[in-house]
């Protein structure tokens, strides 16, 4: 009887220990699952934060790129302010059908490469697709810039013509351009600008200049009149001197004979004025100067 009682007591203790161990095992298992679940949620949260940050960065890049594309067709501002006596003057010289265009090759600078690449990328994305041709200027004596215009360039149907200048602007002055030929005719100078840090990209409208190269007007005599005058100076009767103002043939072929041209350069003065908080400031005093030789961008169809 006593032996039977001891057996039942042992079975009871073993049963109790098994139940306790089962509960403990289940508790540990649940704790492990809970710990693993919390870690998974933490990892998932970190991944979500990284994904959101990456998405925001991509959206920011896309929006910036879109803004750069829209800058290609930014509406012109108009400047009617008179140039100052101490303003910075750039002398632009355009050589139409110049023999120098084939004799001297002006390698495109980095700003022109960057501009053409931006136009190409924007067009790939379906934003502002257009035909663009760049003409790199050549610097002479610091403030003089020459552009050589080929026969191909002046045969284009130009819809927009821009002079591009990159300027250092350490004091963040307001910069406004004045084309001397436009000011003499009481016409505004059209321009647009964008800044990045202490650098300003200034674009000046030259469409009227290129239109007048073909048709005559504000920019100077038309190419047709210049060609007609050149021919008349070549073919005046023997013993008769050419009329005053006629272009003289220097021995080179005239446009139309398939050779070099005797057409004169068209000179254009570009005056840069600066101001800060309405008060006018000399651009040179404010540290404004050219960073690269300007180029011309022609949009055509």
């Amino acid at each position: 009887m006593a032996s039977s009682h001891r057996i039942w007591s042992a079975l009871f203790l073993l049963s109790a220990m098994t139940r306790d161990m089962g509960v403990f095992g289940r508790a540990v298992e649940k704790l492990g699952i809970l710990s693993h679940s919390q870690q998974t949620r933490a990892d998932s949260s970190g991944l979500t934060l990284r994904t959101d940050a990456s998405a925001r960065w991509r959206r920011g890049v896309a929006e910036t790129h879109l803004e750069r594309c829209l800058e290609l067709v930014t509406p012109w501002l108009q400047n009617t302010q008179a140039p100052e006596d101490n303003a910075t003057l750039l002398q632009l010289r355009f050589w139409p059908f110049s023999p120098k265009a084939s004799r001297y090759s002006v390698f495109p600078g980095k700003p022109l490469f960057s501009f053409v690449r931006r136009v190409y990328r924007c067009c790939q994305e379906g934003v502002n697709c257009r035909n663009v041709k760049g003409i790199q200027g050549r610097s002479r004596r610091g403030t003089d810039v020459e552009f050589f215009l080929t026969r191909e360039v002046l045969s284009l149907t130009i819809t927009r013509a821009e002079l591009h200048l990159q300027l250092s602007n350490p004091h963040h002055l307001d910069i406004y351009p004045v084309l001397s030929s436009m000011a003499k005719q009481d016409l505004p100078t059209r321009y647009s600008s964008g800044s990045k840090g202490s650098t300003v990209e200034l674009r000046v409208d030259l469409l009227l200049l290129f239109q007048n190269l073909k048709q005559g007007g504000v920019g100077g005599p038309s190419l047709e009149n210049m060609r007609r005058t050149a021919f008349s100076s070549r073919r005046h009767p023997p013993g008769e001197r050419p009329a005053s103002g006629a272009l003289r043939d220097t021995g080179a072929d005239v446009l139309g004979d398939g050779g070099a041209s005797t057409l004169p350069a068209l000179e254009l003065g570009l005056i840069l004025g600066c101001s800060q908080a309405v008060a006018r400031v000399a651009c040179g005093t404010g540290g404004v100067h050219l960073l690269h030789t300007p180029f011309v961008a022609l949009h055509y169809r």
Side-chain angles (χ1 to χ4, degrees):
M1 184 71 180
S3 176
S4 176
H5 180 71
R6 284 194 296 271
I7 292 172
W8 280 108
S9 297
L11 290 174
F12 176 77
L13 289 172
L14 181 63
S15 175
M17 290 175 65
T18 304
R19 284 198 303 272
D20 290 343
M21 287 178 66
V23 170
F24 177 74
R26 286 193 296 273
V28 169
E29 183 181 357
K30 288 182 180 178
L31 182 60
I33 292 173
L34 181 60
S35 176
H36 179 70
S37 176
Q38 288 175 340
Q39 182 179 0
T40 303
R41 284 199 297 270
D43 290 346
S44 176
S45 176
L47 180 61
T48 301
L49 289 174
R50 287 194 297 272
T51 303
D52 290 346
S54 177
R56 285 195 299 270
W57 179 81
R58 285 195 298 269
R59 282 197 301 270
V61 170
E63 289 172 359
T64 302
H65 181 62
L66 178 60
E67 289 175 2
R68 296 285 286 166
C69 291
L70 294 177
E71 284 178 4
L72 297 174
V73 289
T74 302
W76 295 116
L77 301 173
Q78 294 193 358
N79 176 45
T80 56
Q81 296 187 54
E84 304 172 23
D85 294 335
N86 59 348
T88 301
L89 173 65
L90 295 175
Q91 195 68 37
L92 310 176
R93 189 172 290 109
F94 296 86
W95 293 91
F97 299 111
S98 171
K100 296 181 181 180
S102 57
R103 193 177 306 166
Y104 303 108
S105 58
V106 183
F107 192 76
K110 183 178 178 181
L112 177 52
F113 270 123
S114 298
F115 175 78
V116 173
R117 185 167 59 247
R118 187 188 349 160
V119 172
Y120 177 73
R121 287 184 59 192
C122 293
C123 186
Q124 277 187 318
E125 298 176 12
V127 183
N128 298 327
C129 271
R130 58 189 58 212
N131 297 316
V132 175
K133 191 172 188 66
I135 306 172
Q136 180 62 57
R138 187 175 71 166
S139 181
R140 301 292 299 271
R141 296 184 296 277
T143 57
D144 289 9
V145 183
E146 292 182 326
F147 297 92
F148 303 120
L149 309 180
T150 63
R151 186 190 308 271
E152 175 195 2
V153 165
L154 292 174
S155 67
L156 299 174
T157 303
I158 299 170
T159 58
R160 187 178 175 107
E162 308 168 341
L163 175 69
H164 285 241
L165 306 98
Q166 281 198 356
L167 303 163
S168 173
N169 186 20
H171 298 292
H172 305 284
L173 304 178
D174 295 321
I175 304 174
Y176 53 90
V178 179
L179 288 171
S180 56
S181 60
M182 304 294 281
K184 290 176 182 176
Q185 301 290 326
D186 292 326
L187 294 173
T189 297
R190 303 200 302 177
Y191 73 101
S192 64
S193 64
S195 60
K196 184 177 180 181
S198 59
T199 301
V200 171
E201 183 180 2
L202 188 67
R203 296 176 290 274
V204 182
D205 180 22
L206 294 182
L207 181 59
L208 191 59
L209 166 72
F210 280 86
Q211 288 176 340
N212 286 319
L213 276 173
K214 290 185 175 183
Q215 302 170 5
V218 175
S222 70
L223 290 177
E224 290 302 319
N225 290 338
M226 293 162 75
R227 173 166 47 184
R228 191 178 302 115
T229 305
F231 272 113
S232 67
S233 68
R234 258 185 101 190
R235 298 176 178 177
H236 60 273
E240 184 177 329
R241 305 180 72 177
S244 59
L247 301 179
R248 297 178 182 274
D249 185 3
T250 58
D253 291 330
V254 183
L255 174 65
D257 285 359
S261 167
T262 58
L263 300 183
L266 189 149
E267 296 190 358
L268 192 66
L270 175 65
I271 304 167
L272 297 180
C274 295
S275 64
Q276 189 171 45
V278 185
R280 294 193 175 188
V281 179
C283 294
T285 304
V288 175
H289 63 272
L290 278 174
L291 292 174
H292 303 279
T293 304
F295 68 89
V296 170
L298 301 177
H299 301 254
Y300 64 94
R301 61 172 183 266

